[in-house]
Amino acid sequence: MGPYMNALERRTYPLPGDDHRPSPAGTGDGARQPPGAYCGVCRKKFGSEATLSAHLGSDRHRRAAAAAAQTQPPPQDKAPDEALGSLGRALRLAAKDPAVAAVVLWGVARDLAPHAQQRAGLRRALEGAQRCLRALEADAGLRGAQWPARRLLKTALDCDLALARLAADDGDAARAAGAYEAAVRRFLALDADALAALGRCASPAAMAARAAQVAAALPRKLARPDDVTQALDALDEAGGALLAPGAGPAAARRGLGARFLSRALALARARPDAALRALLHAAAAAAALGAAAFAADCAALVAAAHAAQPGARAHVAAAFAAALRAGDLVRAAGLARALCAAAPEPWARFLADLAARLAAADVAWLAAAARPAWDAAAAHPLAADPDEDRRIRGLVGALLAHLLAPYTWHSPCADKTQSS
Protein backbone atom coordinates (compact mmCIF):
# COMPACT_ATOMS: atom_id res chain seq x y z
CA MET A 1 0.00 0.00 0.00
CA GLY A 2 3.07 2.22 0.29
CA PRO A 3 3.10 3.54 -3.30
CA TYR A 4 -0.50 4.69 -3.05
CA MET A 5 -0.12 6.36 0.33
CA ASN A 6 3.13 8.07 -0.63
CA ALA A 7 1.54 9.32 -3.81
CA LEU A 8 -1.45 10.59 -1.87
CA GLU A 9 0.80 12.51 0.54
CA ARG A 10 2.69 14.10 -2.35
CA ARG A 11 -0.57 14.64 -4.31
CA THR A 12 1.06 12.98 -7.30
CA TYR A 13 -1.51 10.21 -7.76
CA PRO A 14 -4.37 11.98 -9.58
CA LEU A 15 -7.86 11.27 -8.38
CA PRO A 16 -10.70 11.07 -10.90
CA GLY A 17 -12.12 14.51 -11.55
CA ASP A 18 -8.96 16.21 -10.33
CA ASP A 19 -8.22 19.10 -12.66
CA HIS A 20 -4.63 19.41 -11.40
CA ARG A 21 -2.41 16.43 -12.11
CA PRO A 22 1.15 17.16 -10.97
CA SER A 23 4.02 15.09 -12.28
CA PRO A 24 5.74 12.56 -10.03
CA ALA A 25 8.47 13.98 -7.91
CA GLY A 26 11.15 11.47 -8.88
CA THR A 27 12.69 10.13 -12.05
CA GLY A 28 12.15 6.67 -13.45
CA ASP A 29 14.84 5.07 -11.26
CA GLY A 30 13.52 6.67 -8.10
CA ALA A 31 16.37 9.20 -7.76
CA ARG A 32 15.40 12.85 -7.50
CA GLN A 33 16.57 15.04 -10.39
CA PRO A 34 19.10 17.73 -9.56
CA PRO A 35 17.71 21.26 -9.97
CA GLY A 36 18.23 23.02 -13.28
CA ALA A 37 18.63 21.54 -16.76
CA TYR A 38 19.71 17.92 -16.40
CA CYS A 39 20.27 14.94 -18.75
CA GLY A 40 19.39 11.74 -16.96
CA VAL A 41 21.06 9.53 -19.59
CA CYS A 42 24.47 11.21 -19.43
CA ARG A 43 24.00 12.27 -15.79
CA LYS A 44 25.13 15.81 -16.59
CA LYS A 45 23.81 19.14 -15.36
CA PHE A 46 23.65 22.16 -17.67
CA GLY A 47 23.41 25.83 -16.93
CA SER A 48 20.36 26.50 -19.09
CA GLU A 49 17.67 24.85 -21.17
CA ALA A 50 19.41 26.07 -24.33
CA THR A 51 22.63 24.18 -23.55
CA LEU A 52 20.60 21.11 -22.60
CA SER A 53 18.77 21.24 -25.95
CA ALA A 54 22.08 21.48 -27.78
CA HIS A 55 23.40 18.52 -25.81
CA LEU A 56 20.34 16.39 -26.60
CA GLY A 57 21.04 16.84 -30.30
CA SER A 58 24.70 15.87 -30.03
CA ASP A 59 26.20 12.60 -31.25
CA ARG A 60 27.60 11.94 -27.78
CA HIS A 61 24.13 11.99 -26.22
CA ARG A 62 22.70 9.81 -28.98
CA ARG A 63 25.43 7.18 -28.48
CA ALA A 64 24.85 7.23 -24.71
CA ALA A 65 21.08 6.86 -25.18
CA ALA A 66 21.55 3.95 -27.61
CA ALA A 67 23.96 2.20 -25.24
CA ALA A 68 21.56 2.69 -22.32
CA ALA A 69 18.71 1.20 -24.33
CA GLN A 70 20.78 -1.90 -25.16
CA THR A 71 22.13 -2.51 -21.65
CA GLN A 72 19.01 -1.67 -19.63
CA PRO A 73 17.04 -4.82 -18.76
CA PRO A 74 13.43 -4.87 -19.94
CA PRO A 75 11.09 -3.55 -17.25
CA GLN A 76 9.12 -6.14 -15.34
CA ASP A 77 5.49 -5.41 -14.67
CA LYS A 78 5.16 -5.75 -10.91
CA ALA A 79 2.03 -3.60 -10.75
CA PRO A 80 -0.44 -6.49 -10.38
CA ASP A 81 1.47 -8.11 -7.51
CA GLU A 82 1.98 -4.81 -5.71
CA ALA A 83 -1.64 -3.80 -6.31
CA LEU A 84 -2.99 -7.12 -5.01
CA GLY A 85 -0.82 -6.78 -1.94
CA SER A 86 -2.27 -3.33 -1.29
CA LEU A 87 -5.80 -4.54 -1.97
CA GLY A 88 -6.13 -6.70 1.14
CA ARG A 89 -4.65 -4.05 3.42
CA ALA A 90 -6.93 -1.37 1.97
CA LEU A 91 -10.02 -3.54 2.44
CA ARG A 92 -9.09 -4.02 6.10
CA LEU A 93 -8.55 -0.28 6.46
CA ALA A 94 -11.94 0.59 4.90
CA ALA A 95 -13.98 0.38 8.10
CA LYS A 96 -11.52 2.52 10.05
CA ASP A 97 -10.64 5.15 7.44
CA PRO A 98 -12.82 4.97 4.31
CA ALA A 99 -11.37 8.21 2.91
CA VAL A 100 -7.85 6.82 2.65
CA ALA A 101 -9.07 3.34 1.72
CA ALA A 102 -11.10 4.79 -1.17
CA VAL A 103 -7.99 6.45 -2.62
CA VAL A 104 -5.98 3.26 -2.34
CA LEU A 105 -8.70 1.00 -3.72
CA TRP A 106 -9.34 3.29 -6.68
CA GLY A 107 -5.61 3.31 -7.40
CA VAL A 108 -5.48 -0.48 -7.18
CA ALA A 109 -8.41 -0.71 -9.61
CA ARG A 110 -6.63 1.55 -12.08
CA ASP A 111 -3.49 -0.59 -11.87
CA LEU A 112 -5.40 -3.85 -12.34
CA ALA A 113 -7.70 -2.66 -15.14
CA PRO A 114 -5.21 -3.32 -18.00
CA HIS A 115 -4.64 -6.91 -16.87
CA ALA A 116 -7.38 -9.25 -18.10
CA GLN A 117 -6.27 -12.06 -15.77
CA GLN A 118 -6.88 -9.84 -12.73
CA ARG A 119 -10.62 -9.33 -13.20
CA ALA A 120 -11.47 -10.86 -9.82
CA GLY A 121 -9.08 -8.51 -8.05
CA LEU A 122 -10.36 -5.58 -10.10
CA ARG A 123 -13.93 -6.37 -9.08
CA ARG A 124 -12.96 -6.61 -5.39
CA ALA A 125 -11.14 -3.27 -5.59
CA LEU A 126 -14.05 -1.53 -7.30
CA GLU A 127 -16.64 -2.98 -4.93
CA GLY A 128 -14.49 -1.96 -1.96
CA ALA A 129 -14.04 1.54 -3.36
CA GLN A 130 -17.78 1.75 -3.97
CA ARG A 131 -18.53 0.86 -0.34
CA CYS A 132 -16.04 3.46 0.89
CA LEU A 133 -17.45 6.15 -1.37
CA ARG A 134 -20.98 5.36 -0.18
CA ALA A 135 -19.80 5.77 3.41
CA LEU A 136 -18.24 9.13 2.55
CA GLU A 137 -21.44 10.27 0.85
CA ALA A 138 -23.43 9.35 3.95
CA ASP A 139 -21.08 11.06 6.44
CA ALA A 140 -19.32 14.25 5.33
CA GLY A 141 -17.22 14.18 8.49
CA LEU A 142 -15.29 11.16 7.18
CA ARG A 143 -14.20 12.73 3.90
CA GLY A 144 -11.13 14.71 4.90
CA ALA A 145 -9.39 17.14 2.57
CA GLN A 146 -8.91 14.67 -0.27
CA TRP A 147 -12.62 14.13 -0.94
CA PRO A 148 -14.49 17.39 -1.63
CA ALA A 149 -18.09 16.87 -2.65
CA ARG A 150 -17.62 17.34 -6.39
CA ARG A 151 -14.71 14.92 -6.65
CA LEU A 152 -16.57 12.39 -4.54
CA LEU A 153 -19.63 12.58 -6.79
CA LYS A 154 -17.63 12.22 -10.02
CA THR A 155 -15.45 9.39 -8.70
CA ALA A 156 -18.49 7.51 -7.42
CA LEU A 157 -19.99 7.66 -10.94
CA ASP A 158 -16.73 6.41 -12.48
CA CYS A 159 -16.65 3.53 -10.00
CA ASP A 160 -20.30 2.61 -10.60
CA LEU A 161 -19.81 2.67 -14.38
CA ALA A 162 -16.68 0.52 -14.13
CA LEU A 163 -18.64 -2.14 -12.24
CA ALA A 164 -21.46 -1.93 -14.79
CA ARG A 165 -18.93 -2.50 -17.60
CA LEU A 166 -17.66 -5.60 -15.84
CA ALA A 167 -21.22 -6.95 -15.73
CA ALA A 168 -21.61 -6.21 -19.44
CA ASP A 169 -18.30 -7.94 -20.20
CA ASP A 170 -19.57 -10.97 -18.30
CA GLY A 171 -22.49 -11.17 -20.74
CA ASP A 172 -25.14 -10.41 -18.12
CA ALA A 173 -27.11 -7.79 -20.07
CA ALA A 174 -29.91 -7.47 -17.51
CA ARG A 175 -27.56 -6.94 -14.57
CA ALA A 176 -25.43 -4.51 -16.57
CA ALA A 177 -28.50 -2.51 -17.56
CA GLY A 178 -29.61 -2.27 -13.94
CA ALA A 179 -26.14 -1.21 -12.81
CA TYR A 180 -25.89 1.47 -15.49
CA GLU A 181 -29.34 2.83 -14.66
CA ALA A 182 -28.55 2.94 -10.95
CA ALA A 183 -25.27 4.77 -11.64
CA VAL A 184 -27.00 7.46 -13.70
CA ARG A 185 -29.84 7.84 -11.21
CA ARG A 186 -27.41 8.28 -8.34
CA PHE A 187 -25.21 10.78 -10.19
CA LEU A 188 -28.12 12.95 -11.38
CA ALA A 189 -30.20 12.38 -8.20
CA LEU A 190 -33.10 11.11 -10.31
CA ASP A 191 -36.20 9.52 -8.86
CA ALA A 192 -36.23 5.73 -9.04
CA ASP A 193 -39.07 5.85 -11.58
CA ALA A 194 -37.68 8.70 -13.73
CA LEU A 195 -36.50 6.70 -16.73
CA ALA A 196 -39.42 4.29 -16.52
CA ALA A 197 -41.86 7.23 -16.59
CA LEU A 198 -40.14 8.58 -19.68
CA GLY A 199 -40.34 5.15 -21.30
CA ARG A 200 -44.09 5.04 -20.76
CA CYS A 201 -44.67 8.12 -22.91
CA ALA A 202 -46.67 7.23 -25.99
CA SER A 203 -44.79 9.25 -28.59
CA PRO A 204 -41.41 10.94 -29.16
CA ALA A 205 -43.05 14.36 -28.81
CA ALA A 206 -44.50 13.42 -25.40
CA MET A 207 -41.21 11.85 -24.35
CA ALA A 208 -39.29 14.98 -25.38
CA ALA A 209 -41.64 17.24 -23.41
CA ARG A 210 -41.42 15.05 -20.32
CA ALA A 211 -37.62 14.81 -20.61
CA ALA A 212 -37.37 18.61 -20.78
CA GLN A 213 -39.26 18.83 -17.49
CA VAL A 214 -36.97 16.27 -15.84
CA ALA A 215 -33.82 18.01 -17.11
CA ALA A 216 -35.04 21.38 -15.86
CA ALA A 217 -35.69 19.96 -12.38
CA LEU A 218 -32.43 18.05 -11.95
CA PRO A 219 -31.11 18.48 -8.39
CA ARG A 220 -27.53 18.27 -9.69
CA LYS A 221 -26.58 21.66 -11.07
CA LEU A 222 -23.67 20.40 -13.22
CA ALA A 223 -22.06 23.83 -13.06
CA ARG A 224 -18.91 23.02 -15.02
CA PRO A 225 -18.71 21.98 -18.68
CA ASP A 226 -16.86 18.76 -17.85
CA ASP A 227 -19.64 17.84 -15.40
CA VAL A 228 -22.17 18.17 -18.23
CA THR A 229 -19.94 16.11 -20.51
CA GLN A 230 -19.64 13.38 -17.89
CA ALA A 231 -23.42 13.33 -17.40
CA LEU A 232 -24.09 13.11 -21.16
CA ASP A 233 -21.51 10.35 -21.59
CA ALA A 234 -23.01 8.40 -18.69
CA LEU A 235 -26.54 8.75 -20.10
CA ASP A 236 -25.33 7.64 -23.52
CA GLU A 237 -23.58 4.57 -22.08
CA ALA A 238 -26.56 3.72 -19.87
CA GLY A 239 -28.96 4.10 -22.78
CA GLY A 240 -26.90 1.70 -24.86
CA ALA A 241 -26.85 -0.87 -22.06
CA LEU A 242 -30.60 -0.62 -21.47
CA LEU A 243 -31.23 -1.08 -25.20
CA ALA A 244 -28.86 -4.03 -25.51
CA PRO A 245 -30.27 -7.40 -26.61
CA GLY A 246 -31.07 -9.44 -23.55
CA ALA A 247 -31.89 -6.50 -21.29
CA GLY A 248 -35.60 -6.95 -21.94
CA PRO A 249 -38.48 -4.86 -23.37
CA ALA A 250 -39.02 -2.83 -20.20
CA ALA A 251 -35.33 -1.94 -20.09
CA ALA A 252 -35.49 -0.94 -23.76
CA ARG A 253 -38.23 1.59 -23.02
CA ARG A 254 -36.11 3.01 -20.20
CA GLY A 255 -33.19 3.13 -22.63
CA LEU A 256 -35.23 5.30 -24.98
CA GLY A 257 -36.04 7.46 -21.98
CA ALA A 258 -32.31 7.82 -21.26
CA ARG A 259 -31.71 8.91 -24.87
CA PHE A 260 -34.41 11.58 -24.61
CA LEU A 261 -33.17 12.76 -21.23
CA SER A 262 -29.69 13.09 -22.73
CA ARG A 263 -31.16 15.19 -25.55
CA ALA A 264 -33.07 17.41 -23.13
CA LEU A 265 -29.99 17.95 -20.95
CA ALA A 266 -27.89 18.77 -24.02
CA LEU A 267 -30.47 21.28 -25.25
CA ALA A 268 -30.65 22.89 -21.81
CA ARG A 269 -26.86 23.28 -21.77
CA ALA A 270 -26.58 24.65 -25.34
CA ARG A 271 -25.08 21.53 -26.89
CA PRO A 272 -27.18 21.07 -30.02
CA ASP A 273 -24.86 18.53 -31.66
CA ALA A 274 -25.09 16.24 -28.62
CA ALA A 275 -28.87 16.72 -28.58
CA LEU A 276 -29.23 15.70 -32.22
CA ARG A 277 -26.92 12.72 -31.72
CA ALA A 278 -29.04 11.47 -28.81
CA LEU A 279 -32.22 11.78 -30.86
CA LEU A 280 -30.68 9.96 -33.83
CA HIS A 281 -29.58 7.18 -31.47
CA ALA A 282 -33.14 6.94 -30.15
CA ALA A 283 -34.52 6.70 -33.69
CA ALA A 284 -32.02 4.00 -34.65
CA ALA A 285 -32.83 2.03 -31.49
CA ALA A 286 -36.56 2.24 -32.16
CA ALA A 287 -36.05 1.02 -35.72
CA ALA A 288 -33.91 -1.88 -34.47
CA LEU A 289 -36.65 -2.80 -32.01
CA GLY A 290 -39.20 -2.92 -34.82
CA ALA A 291 -40.97 0.26 -33.73
CA ALA A 292 -40.99 1.82 -37.19
CA ALA A 293 -43.72 4.32 -36.35
CA PHE A 294 -41.81 5.58 -33.30
CA ALA A 295 -38.64 5.90 -35.40
CA ALA A 296 -40.52 7.91 -38.05
CA ASP A 297 -41.93 10.21 -35.38
CA CYS A 298 -38.38 10.73 -34.09
CA ALA A 299 -37.46 11.85 -37.60
CA ALA A 300 -40.35 14.35 -37.53
CA LEU A 301 -38.89 15.73 -34.31
CA VAL A 302 -35.49 15.95 -36.01
CA ALA A 303 -37.07 17.93 -38.84
CA ALA A 304 -38.92 20.26 -36.48
CA ALA A 305 -36.08 20.98 -34.05
CA HIS A 306 -32.77 20.19 -35.76
CA ALA A 307 -33.20 20.78 -39.50
CA ALA A 308 -30.37 23.32 -39.65
CA GLN A 309 -27.81 20.94 -38.15
CA PRO A 310 -25.49 18.74 -40.23
CA GLY A 311 -26.93 15.28 -40.89
CA ALA A 312 -30.50 16.13 -39.89
CA ARG A 313 -31.93 16.59 -43.38
CA ALA A 314 -30.45 13.37 -44.69
CA HIS A 315 -31.96 11.51 -41.73
CA VAL A 316 -35.40 12.98 -42.45
CA ALA A 317 -35.06 12.14 -46.16
CA ALA A 318 -34.17 8.54 -45.26
CA ALA A 319 -37.17 8.30 -42.90
CA PHE A 320 -39.45 9.75 -45.60
CA ALA A 321 -38.20 7.19 -48.11
CA ALA A 322 -38.66 4.34 -45.60
CA ALA A 323 -42.23 5.44 -44.86
CA LEU A 324 -43.16 5.56 -48.54
CA ARG A 325 -41.57 2.19 -49.24
CA ALA A 326 -43.64 0.78 -46.37
CA GLY A 327 -46.80 2.33 -47.81
CA ASP A 328 -47.28 4.70 -44.85
CA LEU A 329 -48.41 7.74 -46.80
CA VAL A 330 -49.75 9.53 -43.73
CA ARG A 331 -46.42 9.46 -41.91
CA ALA A 332 -44.49 10.33 -45.05
CA ALA A 333 -46.71 13.36 -45.59
CA GLY A 334 -46.23 14.39 -41.94
CA LEU A 335 -42.44 14.17 -42.30
CA ALA A 336 -42.54 16.25 -45.47
CA ARG A 337 -44.71 18.90 -43.83
CA ALA A 338 -42.39 19.10 -40.81
CA LEU A 339 -39.39 19.44 -43.12
CA CYS A 340 -41.11 22.15 -45.20
CA ALA A 341 -41.99 24.09 -42.05
CA ALA A 342 -38.38 24.05 -40.84
CA ALA A 343 -36.66 24.26 -44.24
CA PRO A 344 -39.02 25.65 -46.91
CA GLU A 345 -36.79 24.79 -49.83
CA PRO A 346 -37.66 23.40 -53.30
CA TRP A 347 -36.58 19.83 -52.56
CA ALA A 348 -38.59 19.72 -49.30
CA ARG A 349 -41.65 21.07 -51.11
CA PHE A 350 -41.14 18.40 -53.78
CA LEU A 351 -41.26 15.65 -51.11
CA ALA A 352 -44.51 17.08 -49.74
CA ASP A 353 -45.96 17.24 -53.25
CA LEU A 354 -44.84 13.69 -53.99
CA ALA A 355 -46.57 12.35 -50.88
CA ALA A 356 -49.76 14.24 -51.73
CA ARG A 357 -49.78 13.02 -55.36
CA LEU A 358 -49.25 9.44 -54.25
CA ALA A 359 -52.11 9.72 -51.75
CA ALA A 360 -54.36 11.11 -54.49
CA ALA A 361 -53.17 8.47 -57.00
CA ASP A 362 -52.34 11.21 -59.50
CA VAL A 363 -51.11 8.86 -62.22
CA ALA A 364 -50.67 11.57 -64.83
CA TRP A 365 -48.38 13.64 -62.62
CA LEU A 366 -46.44 10.60 -61.43
CA ALA A 367 -45.93 9.35 -64.97
CA ALA A 368 -45.02 12.59 -66.68
CA ALA A 369 -44.22 15.37 -64.22
CA ALA A 370 -42.62 13.80 -61.14
CA ARG A 371 -39.15 13.34 -62.58
CA PRO A 372 -38.92 16.82 -64.18
CA ALA A 373 -40.20 18.34 -60.91
CA TRP A 374 -37.44 16.59 -58.97
CA ASP A 375 -34.80 17.66 -61.49
CA ALA A 376 -35.90 21.27 -61.06
CA ALA A 377 -35.86 21.00 -57.25
CA ALA A 378 -32.48 19.24 -57.26
CA ALA A 379 -30.95 22.07 -59.26
CA HIS A 380 -30.64 23.89 -55.91
CA PRO A 381 -28.33 22.81 -53.05
CA LEU A 382 -30.04 20.30 -50.78
CA ALA A 383 -27.69 20.71 -47.81
CA ALA A 384 -24.68 22.79 -46.87
CA ASP A 385 -22.46 19.75 -46.44
CA PRO A 386 -21.51 18.17 -49.81
CA ASP A 387 -21.61 14.63 -48.43
CA GLU A 388 -25.07 15.15 -46.97
CA ASP A 389 -26.19 16.73 -50.24
CA ARG A 390 -25.03 13.68 -52.19
CA ARG A 391 -26.70 11.35 -49.70
CA ILE A 392 -30.05 13.11 -50.06
CA ARG A 393 -29.82 13.03 -53.85
CA GLY A 394 -29.06 9.32 -53.74
CA LEU A 395 -31.94 8.59 -51.35
CA VAL A 396 -34.54 10.49 -53.35
CA GLY A 397 -33.22 9.22 -56.66
CA ALA A 398 -33.48 5.60 -55.54
CA LEU A 399 -36.93 6.26 -54.08
CA LEU A 400 -38.20 7.74 -57.34
CA ALA A 401 -36.81 4.82 -59.34
CA HIS A 402 -38.76 2.49 -57.03
CA LEU A 403 -42.00 4.50 -56.91
CA LEU A 404 -42.25 5.60 -60.52
CA ALA A 405 -41.46 2.26 -62.13
CA PRO A 406 -45.16 1.22 -62.33
CA TYR A 407 -46.01 4.51 -64.06
CA THR A 408 -43.30 4.26 -66.71
CA TRP A 409 -44.40 2.67 -70.00
CA HIS A 410 -41.75 1.08 -72.20
CA SER A 411 -42.59 0.51 -75.88
CA PRO A 412 -41.15 -2.76 -77.23
CA CYS A 413 -40.64 -1.03 -80.55
CA ALA A 414 -38.77 1.78 -78.89
CA ASP A 415 -36.61 -0.75 -77.02
CA LYS A 416 -35.74 -2.51 -80.32
CA THR A 417 -34.94 0.82 -81.95
CA GLN A 418 -32.65 1.78 -79.06
CA SER A 419 -30.90 -1.60 -79.12
CA SER A 420 -30.28 -1.40 -82.89
Side-chain angles (χ1 to χ4, degrees), residues 292-293 296 320 322-333:
F320 175 85
L324 282 187
R325 287 176 182 272
D328 193 343
L329 296 176
V330 173
R331 246 183 197 91

Side-chain angles (χ1 to χ4, degrees), residues 17-18 33 78 112 168 176 373 378 396:
D18 194 350
Q33 284 188 359
K78 296 184 178 179
L112 294 179
V396 178

Side-chain angles (χ1 to χ4, degrees), residues 245-297:
R253 296 292 299 184
R254 297 197 303 275
L256 290 174
R259 298 295 195 207
F260 273 82
L261 180 56
S262 178
R263 173 180 179 267
L265 179 59
L267 287 176
R269 302 310 171 99
R271 298 197 180 188
D273 291 343
L276 174 59
R277 186 165 56 250
L279 185 52
L280 295 181
H281 285 168
L289 292 168
F294 191 95
D297 289 345

Side-chain angles (χ1 to χ4, degrees), residues 48 59 122 147 189 213 234 246 260 268 293 304 326 360 372 384 389 413:
S48 67
D59 291 337
L122 173 60
W147 286 112
Q213 295 174 356
F260 273 82
D389 186 290
C413 296

